[in-house]
Amino acid sequence: MGVEGIGASVVRKEDRRFITGKGRYVDDVKLVGMTYAHFIRSPHAHAKVKGIDSSAALKMPGVVAVLTGQQIVDDKVGNLICGWAITSKDGSPMKMGAWPAMAPETVRFVGQAVAVVIADTKNLAKDAAEAVVVDYEELPAVADVRSAIKPGAVQLHPEAPGNIIYDWHIGDEAATKDAFSKAANVVTLELTNNRLVPNAMEPRAAVADYDAAEEHYTLWTTSQNPHVARLVLSAFYNIAPEHKLRVIAPDVGGGFGSKIYIYPEEMVALWASKKVGRPVKWTGDRSEAFLTDAHGRDHISKAEMAFDKDNKILGLRVKTHANFGAYMSLFSSAVPTYLYATLLSGQYVIPAIYAEVVAVYTNTTPVDAYRGAGRPEASYLLERMMETAARQLKVDPAELRKTNFITQFPYQTPVIMAYDIGNFHASIDAAMKAIDYAGFPARKAKAKADGKLRGIGLSCYIEACGIAPSKAVGSLGAGVGLWESAEIRVNPVGTIEVLTGTHSHGQGHETAFAQIISERLGVPISQVSIVHGDTDKVQFGMGTYGSRSIAVGGAAIVKAMEKVEAKAKKIAAHALEASESDIVIENGEFKVTGTDKSIALPMVALAAYTAHNLPDGMEPGLKETAFYDPTNFTFPAGAYICELEVDPGTGKTSFVNFVAADDFGRLINPMIVEGQVHGGLAQGIGQALLEGVVYDGTGQLVTASFMDYSMPRADDLPSFKLSHTTTLCPGNPLGVKGCGEAGAIGASAAVINAITDAIGNNKLEMPATPDRVWHAIHG
Amino acid sequence: MYETTYHRASSVDDAAAAFAKGKDSKFLAGGQTLLPVMKQRLAAPSDVIDLSKIKDMIGIVPTNNGIEIKGATTHYDVAESSDVQKAIPGLAYLASVIGDPAVRYRGTIGGSLANNDPAADYPAAVLALNATVKTNKRTIPADDFFKGLFATALEDGEIITAVSFPVTAKSGYAKFRNPASRFALTAVFVARSPSGEVRVAAAGASQSGVMRVGAIESALTTNWSASALDNVKVSASGMLSDIHGTADYRANLVRVMAQRAVIAAG
């Protein structure tokens, strides 16, 4: 490892501009003649739009236009799409209701846009919006799954009778039934996975600029995947053909999944920029983020697990209802199916699994992938089940897990996934040692003497990252392939630009990816630039989500590097009059092994571009492209243990200790990995203790601001003790697995298991607020 | 934010005159409630009259029988005042846990009392310490000042110039924060006067705003100790109930926070 190579905790290159206020975000883009958009949003969860009177608004100063949903339909802008086709048990395709970018006839959630005001300033647009009169005819609304599937419930979409989008299943029903018939013990559990608001620090924003001379659009947008955005805007929304549409996602302040999707606001900004003949900017405010950013999670599940007399798991049966909100967001259909139920085997040998998932429309904000996307829901269910089972079977929860761990790899689960490698005993042993698991009973007794209820909770998660072999996801209904591209340009002076189709919005790609180059060539990372987020610069890519950037994007970089190195070695061998096979790369030099002859990288690069003395037949230049399609998912796994105290007087939880032992394969930059784990744990703990969306019966969002939606703050969190156990991923050239979501996937169950252990009552839902915990203690 | 006209008042009289001239005037003290509300377009005052630079309205003055805090004194200054820390330690502590540092540098005692947010901290101290609110027109005893949620005895255009706190033998404050807003989900101030009178006020709990808690006052009058409250029943009737805490939870918190305030008071 060089000082800046793989495994070095190099300080992040990008942080200098971020912490000195020099980051360039979408809202920083200012164009000549730019106008500002302000959306008029439905105050009702379900209503008919009977009419929109914008005559008064149009007379107000600075107002350029008021555009409505009917106009967007008239202009044949396409409806929003869902990009993953799911088939129900009965063979029927999923039942998707139409979602126009602005509602021409019917609104189905509070905050859905019906019209947009375009004006010279943001304030004038807001003033004019207040003068637009929308005539709504209110309809009955349904905000929760249980009510939505009741017979006679109000229907959201004519396409989806009973508000059911699909009724899907996976696994072997008969084998699972058979397993339960042989069980010595059956453990049952009902639980809710609470709905969350992503709350990236930077709200969504768009600047759209139509160039009439070239009939060309440019869109600056807060996107995790600008190429997919261009593809969808072009192929499905009819905004413009791809060569007439440039999408730029500059610095983006966090996404957590919520910026994967192509939202109505970006579409409207593009469409409006041509209509008004001026650039259009829209910057969402926090209230709009609460109402319109795709929410996460929102499952209710019933699970049963069968055990034999030796506490070995025989089978698992799960039925889940997933709340999709009012419309199917871009990847919503995949989240509670192929990203959830395929992880229900966890770290355990479970011979038979059968899971059913019913997807349901409600009059709420659409739900889609949010940090972890399906895997947190699976892990939470399974790890609460293991803890519940241990208590019912009267065995130590760590022992019950160890009894059932998978130890032979590769391991084919009954639910599609084939785990390539892992060492679950190593993780749990490391975590138990770090927290002094054996000493817990004595600590609990001492806390009791001080009037505190102390508990300990485990969570052994496994997840699937690096999505995924394109052929495999295609066969499961995905509308896209999930490979990644990389282009490496060695400039004539030896500096290097790496163009990647992934997108960094907090992950530190500019540093970690440069470290891969540094490792291979021995050049400092200051000589390497990472270029991303612009469809005019990077040929194509699938973006960043599902912890795929290093496992898929990093592998593409390695593949392109191999091509660059092969050509550079040929040039070096030619220059040094040596055999190509004798050339080795060290510290930025190409050396003839066993001699003192060498040529530095800049000289090799210069030779490639002057082309005065290249091997016969070689093309000039030193630039290579690679596309990498993964061979499998990667499977990060680990063990988290949480020790905490509950104040019986208030129900408030205080952390004593939180240890994490993760296996992410090879670490490129351990400091960045640590930061990713901290952030993930904060969100997992946030879900467990603080965050939870509440709608009232009429579909009004009660938790519509930080006054009522509780985000985790630094003083809500313990000082995490992190450690790593390592099995290198055999499926990619870097041996990496991905680390972006693990914390959010594993933390929630550890926290809730610890609280329920402390209070001696397993009936507790997230978020475990002081009020809920106090009631669980005192009834 | 809608357009408004800003006035920086140089004296209390100047402020009152400017207020009277405006069509729909509002006083601005620390701006910790008014400005966020205006930014959300939920308030549209024609004129905003800033009291925070009036010299006569800033400062903490020890008096013969207690301490007087001028209306535009910030929470930070109250928390840091050695006079307050010495005379009424519970009050200095209360000021030190209002909001966050940014709020404490800007927010003022007069602004907090005039707004009378049911989840604010100062009203509980003013009520439990039996303070007197001084305005540019009159003085108002604490028991007559608070009139329910966001309502006070103040008349239109009346300015809180100072709050006068009598000396106290014991004072203590315990706050249980709303996990989201960090306002008081329920908070209790306990005070015992040199003559032995016990007054206890709870914020964040009642549907009628800050309230005195008779059951706890009588228990503490008999026996000034946390354990004296072990079996006191606080009724959940009339308590606030929302997603952060049910009425019975808040009733429990009134008792538990009172116990912790007594322990803090010593």
Side-chain angles (χ1 to χ4, degrees), chain A residues 747-758:
Chain A
S748 306
V751 174
I752 299 297
N753 286 340
I755 299 176
T756 56
D757 178 51

Side-chain angles (χ1 to χ4, degrees), chain B residues 75 90-100 103-104 108-109 112-113 115-129 146 165 172-178 181-189 201-204 210:
Chain B
H75 310 325
L91 183 62
Y93 169 75
L94 173 145
S96 78
V97 295
I98 298 173
D100 57 22
V103 170
R104 293 195 287 275
T108 67
I109 186 168
S112 171
L113 292 172
N115 190 45
N116 193 22
D117 188 315
D121 298 87
Y122 267 129
V126 167
L127 195 55
L129 290 165
F146 302 104
F165 293 92
Y173 184 61
K175 168 158 72 169
F176 194 82
R177 290 176 184 271
N178 176 316
S181 70
R182 299 279 177 103
F183 274 84
L185 187 60
T186 289
V188 175
F189 200 103
V210 63

Side-chain angles (χ1 to χ4, degrees), chain A residues 85 95 109 186 296 309 428 506 531 547 578 587 592 613 629 649 663 719:
Chain A
K95 298 175 175 65
F109 67 97
V186 172
K309 62 179 176 31
I428 199 170
V531 179
S547 306
N587 299 323
V592 182
N613 184 20
D629 199 31
D663 180 356
S719 282

Side-chain angles (χ1 to χ4, degrees), chain A residues 451-526:
Chain A
K452 293 288 168 66
L453 307 171
R454 189 174 282 217
I456 197 163
L458 289 82
S459 171
C460 295
Y461 75 90
I462 186 164
E463 57 140 334
C465 290
I467 187 168
S470 298
K471 191 174 170 184
V473 294
S475 74
L476 299 177
V480 290
L482 285 162
W483 44 265
E484 197 44 76
S485 79
E487 179 180 322
I488 294 176
R489 300 177 182 162
V490 183
N491 297 318
V493 291
T495 57
I496 297 164
E497 286 155 325
V498 179
L499 284 68
T500 172
T502 65
H503 184 274
S504 187
H505 33 276
Q507 293 86 347
H509 292 176
E510 290 171 42
T511 305
F513 288 179
Q515 287 181 254
I516 298 173
I517 307 298
S518 176
E519 174 75 17
R520 297 191 69 109
L521 292 180
V523 297
I525 59 171
S526 61

Side-chain angles (χ1 to χ4, degrees), chain A residues 123 126-127 130 287 647 649-652 690 694 702-703 706-710 713 715-716 770-771 774-775, chain B residues 1-3 39-41 176 178-183 242-246 248-249 252-253 256-257 260:
Chain A
N123 229 23
K126 282 187 181 181
D127 287 345
E130 289 175 10
S287 299
D647 177 346
T650 63
K652 187 172 167 58
L690 299 161
V694 177
V702 177
T703 50
F706 290 135
M707 291 296 282
D708 286 306
Y709 187 87
S710 186
R713 281 168 256 204
D715 66 352
D716 290 316
D771 174 64
W774 183 82
H775 279 102
Chain B
M1 192 183 281
Y2 297 106
E3 275 190 21
K39 284 181 185 171
Q40 293 283 321
R41 293 187 161 221
F176 194 82
N178 176 316
S181 70
R182 299 279 177 103
F183 274 84
D242 58 30
I243 60 168
H244 304 290
T246 57
D248 60 336
Y249 179 63
N252 166 70
L253 282 182
V256 173
M257 289 301 112
R260 291 178 191 183

Side-chain angles (χ1 to χ4, degrees), chain B residues 142-210:
Chain B
D143 282 329
D144 298 337
F145 182 80
F146 302 104
K147 300 288 184 191
L149 308 183
F150 298 100
T152 68
L154 291 173
E155 289 164 5
D156 204 32
E158 195 171 4
I159 299 167
I160 298 176
T161 54
V163 185
S164 186
F165 293 92
V167 287
T168 180
K170 301 265 189 194
S171 65
Y173 184 61
K175 168 158 72 169
F176 194 82
R177 290 176 184 271
N178 176 316
S181 70
R182 299 279 177 103
F183 274 84
L185 187 60
T186 289
V188 175
F189 200 103
V190 298
R192 191 171 68 167
S193 74
S195 66
E197 188 201 355
V198 172
R199 288 171 65 103
V200 173
S206 165
Q207 292 170 16
S208 316
V210 63

Side-chain angles (χ1 to χ4, degrees), chain A residues 366-398:
Chain A
V367 177
D368 207 325
Y370 165 68
R371 202 168 191 171
R375 292 103 83 208
E377 295 90 316
S379 186
Y380 179 69
L381 180 143
L382 205 55
E383 289 306 292
R384 278 205 68 181
M385 172 61 88
M386 292 306 282
E387 206 81 12
T388 305
R391 290 171 196 165
Q392 187 175 320
L393 302 173
K394 298 193 174 10
V395 293
D396 179 84

